[in-house]
Amino acid sequence: MSHSSNFIENAGSFQFMPKYSIAFVVPDEKSQLRHRVVESANEEEALRDFFNNETLDLYSNDDQGFYYFKEDFYDKSAQYGSIIRHTS
C-alpha cells in the first residue's frame, strides 16, 4: 500500500486515516514555530513524517536523529512539541 494514500484497509473495508496536528518550537534562540497537519495510521508514524519533512535541518536523518527529536519534542520542562489527534 502507498504511504501517500489517505485511507487504511481494515478487514476488507476502508477507513480514513486519522489526522494529527503537530507543532514544534525549534530549540534555538529564534524560537521558530513549525506546524503541519499529518495523516497517519498512528502518532508514532505521524511524528516520523513530521520529522522527515520539517526538522532534517536540525537533526541527523537517521534513527538517532529521530530519537533526539522526540526527546526535545516531549521535554516537559521546555514544552517544545505538541500533537493533537483530530477525531473528525
Side-chain angles (χ1 to χ4, degrees), residues 31-84:
S31 296
Q32 178 186 16
L33 176 67
R34 299 185 184 185
H35 175 260
R36 272 183 94 214
V37 175
V38 176
E39 290 182 355
S40 190
N42 59 53
E43 184 174 311
E44 184 76 7
E45 288 181 17
L47 276 177
R48 176 66 82 164
D49 182 86
F50 183 87
F51 168 77
N52 288 336
N53 289 287
E54 295 292 332
T55 65
L56 291 182
D57 59 323
L58 306 168
Y59 301 93
S60 60
N61 186 13
D62 56 19
D63 287 338
Q64 184 177 12
F66 185 56
Y67 172 84
Y68 288 124
F69 163 71
K70 285 184 12 178
E71 259 192 355
D72 288 342
F73 189 89
Y74 289 116
D75 182 349
K76 292 189 186 304
S77 65
Q79 297 181 336
Y80 289 126
S82 174
I83 186 166
I84 298 170

Side-chain angles (χ1 to χ4, degrees), residues 1-39:
M1 177 179 5
S2 169
H3 291 283
S4 63
S5 154
N6 65 349
F7 55 86
I8 56 178
E9 187 174 356
N10 184 7
S13 64
F14 292 100
Q15 299 176 354
F16 284 98
M17 291 185 11
K19 291 182 181 179
Y20 295 88
S21 178
I22 302 173
F24 182 67
V25 177
V26 176
D28 67 7
E29 69 279 351
K30 294 183 277 184
S31 296
Q32 178 186 16
L33 176 67
R34 299 185 184 185
H35 175 260
R36 272 183 94 214
V37 175
V38 176
E39 290 182 355

